[in-house]
Amino acid sequence: MKKLIVAAALAAATFAALPAGAATYVEASGWTPREILFGKQYNGNVTAIRVDRGGFDRHSYPIQVTYPTGNSMRLAQAAVTEDPSLSAALEVRGIAAHNVLWVQTALNGGKIVYYR
């Protein structure tokens, strides 16, 4: 607990010591000091997985993600555009609907979105 308090105090002192130009740069870049310290808060119960065809975990992707067809991609993108909470969650993450490869529903009711 002491380490957390010391880290927060150190971060506050660092932001207080920043010149005015650096503080406006941080806010202009879209990141607030709260997001820098505690991370960006995303919407909802959505997990987004970026698909890298050359990654070591490429064999763990569903077959619809590994070899996407036009029909499966259209169905996934339609699921994103029809669900306002899902599209808002992807918008916060900066993921466009046309990059979505597959959408799965998790056992807890959340969504798993595979994108490129």
Side-chain angles (χ1 to χ4, degrees), residues 35-114:
E35 290 174 345
I36 292 171
L37 289 175
F38 303 112
K40 193 165 182 97
Q41 298 295 318
Y42 293 115
N43 288 349
N45 198 5
V46 176
T47 303
I49 300 174
R50 181 175 174 86
V51 175
D52 182 17
R53 300 216 188 280
F56 68 92
D57 57 348
R58 67 183 176 274
H59 302 293
S60 64
Y61 299 142
I63 193 74
Q64 294 90 348
V65 175
T66 308
Y67 303 106
T69 62
N71 191 32
S72 67
M73 287 175 50
R74 277 192 296 277
L75 288 173
Q77 292 165 4
V80 169
T81 56
E82 290 174 359
D83 188 357
S85 63
L86 181 58
S87 62
L90 293 179
E91 184 179 330
V92 168
R93 289 174 172 83
I95 301 170
H98 65 83
N99 290 332
V100 174
L101 298 173
W102 186 250
V103 178
Q104 281 184 321
T105 302
L107 292 176
N108 64 356
K111 300 290 184 181
I112 303 170
V113 178
Y114 295 91

Side-chain angles (χ1 to χ4, degrees), residues 8-20 22-23 26 31-37:
L10 182 62
T14 302
F15 282 117
L18 285 176
V26 168
W31 288 86
T32 62
R34 182 175 186 268
E35 290 174 345
I36 292 171
L37 289 175

